Amino acid sequence: SQHAALMPGLWQQLGISDLKSDTLIGDLGLHLSPDSSRVEFGIRICAKEQGKGFGTECIRGLIPLLFQASPAAEVVAYTDLRNEACIAALKRSGMSQVTHRSATHKGEHCTEIGFSLLQK
């Protein structure tokens, strides 16, 4: 079934909480492509909670849920080339680096690396 958060062509933001304390520790954005073939996600973990494995844990749980909750055959994510922690979390979650692109983030030019995982 299609979750309301996965409407084609729209971004949806969801909170990430620590399961033990139920404290909000970050958020993620989800975007189902207009043709529903691909889901892109972005993740942010609060600075004080980084380095504790929450990002990897979240991505590992998120990917199967996205395949289950949508018709998408591919999950993609982009991160700044300088964000080594995010790159490592995406790789640990089974995603493969597939592309790079120029981008602007908060007014600053950067290079983003694209990661992908196809549904098995």
Side-chain angles (χ1 to χ4, degrees), residues 38-105:
R38 181 180 73 205
V39 179
E40 180 176 345
F41 73 90
I43 184 170
R44 183 187 65 83
I45 302 294
C46 298
K48 68 179 183 171
E49 300 297 339
Q50 292 176 5
K52 299 178 182 178
F54 289 127
T56 300
E57 181 181 358
C58 182
I59 295 167
R60 284 181 174 164
L62 177 65
I63 291 170
L65 182 63
L66 293 176
F67 284 133
Q68 180 183 18
S70 78
E74 181 182 24
V75 171
V76 298
Y78 291 88
T79 188
D80 189 311
L81 176 66
R82 299 166 292 186
N83 191 339
E84 295 176 12
C86 188
I87 291 168
L90 292 167
K91 288 180 178 179
R92 280 192 299 269
S93 301
M95 298 188 81
S96 299
Q97 183 178 330
V98 294
T99 190
H100 67 278
R101 65 186 184 190
S102 291
T104 302
H105 182 66

Side-chain angles (χ1 to χ4, degrees), residues 2 32 35-37 66-67 69-73 119:
Q2 186 168 320
L32 182 61
D35 67 0
S36 299
S37 67
L66 293 176
F67 284 133
S70 78
Q119 187 169 27

